[in-house]
Amino acid sequence: MTSIKEQAAISRLLSFLQDWDNAGKAARSHILDNFIENNQGKTAPELEQEFSQGASLFLVRLTTWLRLTYMTGSSLEKVLKSIGIFLASVNSNRYLIEFLEVGGVLTLLEILGLEKIKEEDKKESIKLLQVIANSGRKYKELICESYGVRSIAEFLAKSKSEETQEEVQVLLNSLVHGNPKYQNQVYKGLITLLPSVSPKAQQLALQTLRTAQSIIGATHPSIVDCVLNVLCTMHLEVQYEAIELIKDLVNYDVCEALLKGLVDLLTPSVPEASEPQPKILSDSTVVLQLTTARLPAAYLPAFLQQAAAAKAIGVLARGNTSLAEEMLRLRVVHSLMAAMGNAEHSNSQRQASLTLEYFVRIFPVVAEHVQRSMGEELYRLFRSNAEDLHMKIDSVQVDILATNKVNVSRALYQHGQFYNNRSFYFCPRDPEQLSDITRFQEDVEGKE
């Protein structure tokens, strides 16, 4: 038989549940406020004690009301916070299973895609998904099996709140760890975020991709083009993350394609002014800040990409001499000088000049060819202050740079230096150096 104390506790529980069942929207909202205030941070045993071992009876009412009202957004944030108290409590596995059995994951993912739902409500949905993902591998797999990666990635791209976007990054980072069955799915989802119009989404995707790349240990074929395309951004924080990812990617099998892509960006094919322009470029205030009066807005993305590529090449070359040697084979000196001749974009000139200065300082043969191509006066200006060179040269010197014919790679091969340097390395994961050397020899001989 139950004691008088237990009977009183059961009576209070039944009274509480009856009040909930009979309450309208306003009254239920008040009940939720009290529940959240009084039970935040409690463990599962403490919740059971609070509800006389019947906490699940209230949880099932919360999940039922969630499923009935989530499309209208009625008190949605409070309902989700209340459910979160159950799911986040210590020893809450029972509550988690009860929530998942009624389709809780699908409901949370659907909330992310509803246009009429407030951002704050969606953030609470993300936090619940974090709790579920952090509960173990099988729960991460359940989220992924429910097309969760696509829903979460799309929400990150569309979200207008940086705070919410950072919560999404935490969730994606959790899904890529300890989830071998679906980690590639998360990795691909992050790559699809790189063309996003949201700079914050791009920044967070690039950061998380670095983590995912180290876990997976292999690359997706599309990652090179996607990362290189990000370099046309106006946002320096995005450019920084892209270059950091590029520094990681040169240690994988995409090294050669990545280096070639960077060098190619130094000599862009400028689009016609009549081509469609990104929406951001239609903002005259932004364009005026970043272009000169003679630079059409349609050219800007290519020139931003050119400057970023020159900067990235400098970062890679300074960090690894072997990469610098590989880029010499790709005629990086010629392309850097051509970028220095882009009088329409001073930052391209500045970044290319700084990077070329490093190649000249490290490789005597580069210094010899650059000096011969520039002429004594221009070369003197270049060596005295590479960073400010673009402010001191005239139109004739600009034309000398833009039309240069420097081919250091041919000179290096003819002197045998390529063979000696490349006999053990050029790209970090190249297992067939000898056949690569043979192909290079044939290529050079064919051009002579």
Side-chain angles (χ1 to χ4, degrees), residues 41 58 66 91 130 133 150 218 223 230 281 299 308 343 351 375 388 417:
F58 184 48
L66 172 66
N91 299 323
Q130 289 174 5
R150 183 176 65 184
I223 196 169
V230 171
L281 299 184
Y299 295 6
Q351 295 293 348
D388 295 336
Q417 290 178 309

Side-chain angles (χ1 to χ4, degrees), residues 257-298:
L258 198 54
L259 297 182
K260 185 178 186 304
L262 285 170
V263 174
D264 288 346
L265 291 179
L266 295 174
T267 52
S269 300
V270 179
E272 297 295 331
S274 59
E275 289 186 9
Q277 302 175 18
K279 186 177 180 181
I280 190 172
L281 299 184
S282 64
D283 185 342
S284 59
T285 60
V286 174
V287 174
L288 287 174
Q289 292 172 4
L290 293 167
T291 65
T292 63
R294 59 183 175 175
L295 175 58

Side-chain angles (χ1 to χ4, degrees), residues 63 67 94-105 142:
T63 55
R67 294 176 66 197
R94 170 186 168 186
Y95 301 141
L96 179 59
I97 292 173
E98 290 173 357
F99 179 68
L100 298 179
E101 284 178 345
V102 296
V105 166
L142 176 60

Side-chain angles (χ1 to χ4, degrees), residues 41-295:
K42 285 188 176 180
T43 65
E46 289 172 335
L47 288 171
E48 287 300 323
Q49 184 178 0
E50 177 72 20
F51 285 91
S52 304
Q53 307 307 312
S56 291
L57 295 175
F58 184 48
L59 176 59
V60 74
R61 281 165 169 77
L62 290 175
T63 55
T64 300
W65 196 36
L66 172 66
R67 294 176 66 197
L68 291 173
T69 63
Y70 75 90
M71 298 189 73
T72 65
S74 177
S75 299
L76 184 54
E77 184 178 4
K78 295 178 183 179
V79 178
L80 293 171
K81 282 185 176 180
S82 298
I83 294 173
I85 289 174
F86 283 98
L87 301 191
S89 62
V90 179
N91 299 323
S92 62
N93 193 58
R94 170 186 168 186
Y95 301 141
L96 179 59
I97 292 173
E98 290 173 357
F99 179 68
L100 298 179
E101 284 178 345
V102 296
V105 166
L106 288 174
T107 302
L108 295 176
L109 293 173
E110 285 183 38
I111 289 172
L112 300 180
L114 296 176
E115 295 183 3
K116 296 182 180 180
I117 301 298
K118 294 185 296 184
E119 190 88 1
E120 294 81 3
D121 299 340
K122 294 181 179 181
K123 183 169 73 172
E124 289 302 321
S125 181
I126 288 293
K127 288 182 177 179
L128 279 184
L129 288 167
Q130 289 174 5
V131 172
I132 295 169
N134 291 336
S135 297
R137 172 177 170 178
K138 65 179 180 180
Y139 300 109
K140 295 176 183 182
E141 292 179 353
L142 176 60
I143 293 173
C144 295
E145 288 166 359
S146 304
Y147 301 99
V149 173
R150 183 176 65 184
S151 299
I152 294 165
E154 288 177 355
F155 174 58
L156 174 58
K158 294 177 181 178
S159 175
K160 304 300 181 184
S161 165
E162 291 192 359
E163 184 179 344
T164 302
Q165 288 176 310
E166 288 171 357
E167 293 289 351
V168 178
Q169 182 195 29
V170 172
L171 174 57
L172 288 170
N173 193 58
S174 175
L175 290 175
V176 83
H177 282 88
N179 189 15
K181 187 175 180 180
Y182 290 103
Q183 62 188 19
N184 274 297
Q185 186 182 102
V186 181
Y187 175 64
K188 293 174 186 177
L190 291 166
I191 294 175
T192 64
L193 282 168
L194 296 186
S196 171
V197 297
S198 167
K200 188 65 175 181
Q202 289 180 310
Q203 180 189 10
L204 296 176
L206 287 163
Q207 289 175 350
T208 314
L209 265 173
R210 293 187 64 199
T211 301
Q213 190 65 69
S214 65
I215 292 172
I216 294 170
T219 57
H220 190 273
S222 67
I223 196 169
V224 172
D225 287 341
C226 289
V227 173
L228 293 180
N229 287 338
V230 171
L231 293 179
C232 69
T233 180
M234 296 179 181
H235 300 270
L236 293 179
E237 69 277 11
V238 178
Q239 181 191 109
Y240 169 80
E241 296 296 344
I243 293 176
E244 288 298 301
L245 179 57
I246 286 171
K247 287 164 60 178
D248 292 344
L249 289 174
V250 294
N251 296 308
Y252 296 88
D253 57 353
V254 295
C255 173
E256 185 174 354
L258 198 54
L259 297 182
K260 185 178 186 304
L262 285 170
V263 174
D264 288 346
L265 291 179
L266 295 174
T267 52
S269 300
V270 179
E272 297 295 331
S274 59
E275 289 186 9
Q277 302 175 18
K279 186 177 180 181
I280 190 172
L281 299 184
S282 64
D283 185 342
S284 59
T285 60
V286 174
V287 174
L288 287 174
Q289 292 172 4
L290 293 167
T291 65
T292 63
R294 59 183 175 175
L295 175 58

Side-chain angles (χ1 to χ4, degrees), residues 418-436:
F418 259 135
Y419 183 90
N420 293 333
N421 289 338
R422 299 190 80 242
S423 59
F424 293 103
Y425 174 82
F426 253 155
C427 277
R429 300 287 178 89
D430 186 355
E432 299 180 358
Q433 289 101 349
L434 292 177
S435 61
D436 184 40

